[in-house]
Amino acid sequence: MSQKTALVTGGSSGIGAACAAMLAARGFKVYGASRNPKSGAGYLPLTMDVADDQSVEQAIAQILKEAGSIDALVNNAGCGVAGAVEDTSMQEAAHQMEVNFMGAFRVARLVLPGMRQRRSGVIVNVSSLGGLFGLPFQSFYSASKFAMEGWTESLRYEVKPYGIRVVLVEPGDVSTGFTGSRVQARAADPTSAYAAAFAKCMAIVEKEEKKGVPPEAIARVICRIVEGAAKGPRYTCGGASQRLSAVLKRILPGGLFESIIGSFYGLG
Ligand SMILES: NC(=O)c1ccc[n+]([C@@H]2O[C@H](COP(=O)([O-])OP(=O)(O)OC[C@H]3O[C@@H](n4cnc5c(N)ncnc54)[C@H](OP(=O)(O)O)[C@@H]3O)[C@@H](O)[C@H]2O)c1
């Protein structure tokens, strides 16, 4: 059987790097793509800015020329902007959506035609618990992941007849470089009306992320999906209390759930 090819966006760090290494160890030819790609264990670095049409077009063309097809796509590249809604500029909000949501679309729309013609393929979209409920002071991050959730649900109907699976992965806190790379909205400074609540909330967010599960825990789930062992439409993963929060969101009255999350982030 010929070797299958996987493209993992955001492959230079964290969940993407762990996933690229794991898929390579399982026999895939793997491209780990990002703006500043790094050579990793057994996978090929590829330059790609998911927010840039031309960059994505060039990178996909390179893979297709070298490998012939893309059998698995892991839409994992992402970044975070934190700050109160009022403190976030149009540009900061648009960039968040452009990378986390439009970036996944930008890559998928070039990968889908080949999968459709071969009548097989799998796309894993890395969302977040923040795609299931709004995270305080990370509203545009949550919005980008909510967008990814709805987009994925719709896409699944369209491509199922062509043998293509599209699956959501919703991690809770994972210990990666994400915490350090998160930027604050420029106006989220000490003069903001929200400064005290923002600082209190984000200190808890960062503490929780640092003690989150290792990226390999999420990579294992992604590999099971890619290999067809996990067949569901979405997988919430991470610590037990965080997986529980996804269940609580579904079953508790909205006001009660909001109070629990608010007190957890010191916003009682
Ligand atoms: N860490 C968590 O607690 C957590 C929880 C839930 C969901 N997630 C999601 O998991 C995914 C991976 O995050 P991570 O935790 O592994 O963070 P990370 O270690 O910061 O990795 C982010 C990756 O995305 C790449 N990236 C950022 N902007 C990009 C762009 N414009 N084009 C291409 N690549 C870009 C980065 O590489 P370059 O800088 O080289 O471009 C890096 O490889 C994200 O979608 C994130 O939202 C993370």
Side-chain angles (χ1 to χ4, degrees), residues 3 38 44 60 63 80-81 111-112 120 141 151 180 186 213 234 244 252 257:
Q3 188 182 31
K38 294 191 185 101
L44 301 160
I60 299 291
I63 303 176
V81 61
V111 170
L112 278 167
S120 91
Y141 178 75
W151 176 70
R186 266 193 301 279
V213 299
R234 49 166 41 85
L244 176 66
L252 289 183
F257 182 78

Side-chain angles (χ1 to χ4, degrees), residues 179-201:
T179 312
S181 303
R182 182 188 285 115
V183 297
Q184 286 194 6
R186 266 193 301 279
D189 61 23
T191 64
S192 163
Y194 301 91
F198 174 63
K200 196 170 171 189
C201 174

Side-chain angles (χ1 to χ4, degrees), residues 9-16 33-38 48-51 75-79 95 99-100 126-129 141 145 170-179 181 209 215:
T9 69
S12 63
S13 161
I15 297 169
S34 72
R35 293 163 305 172
N36 303 296
K38 294 191 185 101
M48 179 195 283
D49 180 347
V50 298
N75 272 319
N76 163 80
C79 60
H95 182 254
V99 174
N100 289 10
V126 180
S127 173
S128 165
L129 279 189
Y141 178 75
K145 297 298 189 180
E170 297 146 342
D173 289 324
V174 189
S175 176
T176 67
F178 194 85
T179 312
S181 303
E209 284 173 351

Side-chain angles (χ1 to χ4, degrees), residues 14-246:
I15 297 169
C19 181
M22 224 173 262
L23 285 170
R26 292 174 190 223
F28 282 80
K29 176 173 187 149
V30 182
Y31 289 85
S34 72
R35 293 163 305 172
N36 303 296
K38 294 191 185 101
S39 303
Y43 61 90
L44 301 160
L46 182 73
T47 304
M48 179 195 283
D49 180 347
V50 298
D52 182 292
D53 286 343
Q54 206 186 351
S55 169
V56 173
E57 281 161 20
Q58 278 171 0
I60 299 291
Q62 184 186 330
I63 303 176
L64 294 179
K65 190 170 163 215
E66 291 174 5
S69 66
I70 298 172
D71 303 288
L73 163 64
V74 182
N75 272 319
N76 163 80
C79 60
V81 61
V85 168
E86 255 191 74
D87 291 337
T88 306
S89 68
M90 292 303 293
Q91 198 186 11
E92 287 163 334
H95 182 254
Q96 180 70 101
M97 299 302 288
E98 198 58 49
V99 174
N100 289 10
F101 170 53
M102 295 300 284
F105 166 49
R106 193 171 276 114
V107 180
R109 68 182 288 279
L110 297 184
V111 170
L112 278 167
M115 290 184 170
R116 181 170 45 73
Q117 279 152 22
R118 289 190 309 283
R119 302 187 80 85
S120 91
V122 56
I123 298 177
V124 180
N125 289 330
V126 180
S127 173
S128 165
L129 279 189
L132 299 178
F133 51 89
L135 300 171
F137 295 109
Q138 296 188 73
S139 56
F140 292 100
Y141 178 75
S142 274
S144 71
K145 297 298 189 180
F146 267 69
M148 177 178 255
E149 295 267 336
W151 176 70
T152 304
E153 287 183 4
S154 297
L155 178 59
R156 282 175 58 83
Y157 295 108
E158 297 173 18
V159 299
K160 192 176 170 195
Y162 298 100
I164 303 168
R165 291 181 295 126
V166 193
V167 182
L168 284 158
V169 168
E170 297 146 342
D173 289 324
V174 189
S175 176
T176 67
F178 194 85
T179 312
S181 303
R182 182 188 285 115
V183 297
Q184 286 194 6
R186 266 193 301 279
D189 61 23
T191 64
S192 163
Y194 301 91
F198 174 63
K200 196 170 171 189
C201 174
M202 291 313 290
I204 295 167
V205 168
E206 290 182 7
K207 192 175 103 203
E208 291 297 319
E209 284 173 351
K210 281 179 190 147
K211 58 180 199 198
V213 299
E216 287 73 20
I218 312 302
R220 269 192 292 277
V221 177
I222 295 173
C223 284
R224 281 176 51 76
I225 296 167
V226 168
E227 291 179 326
K231 299 190 188 299
R234 49 166 41 85
Y235 292 86
T236 303
C237 40
S241 61
Q242 295 176 1
R243 280 181 280 123
L244 176 66
S245 68

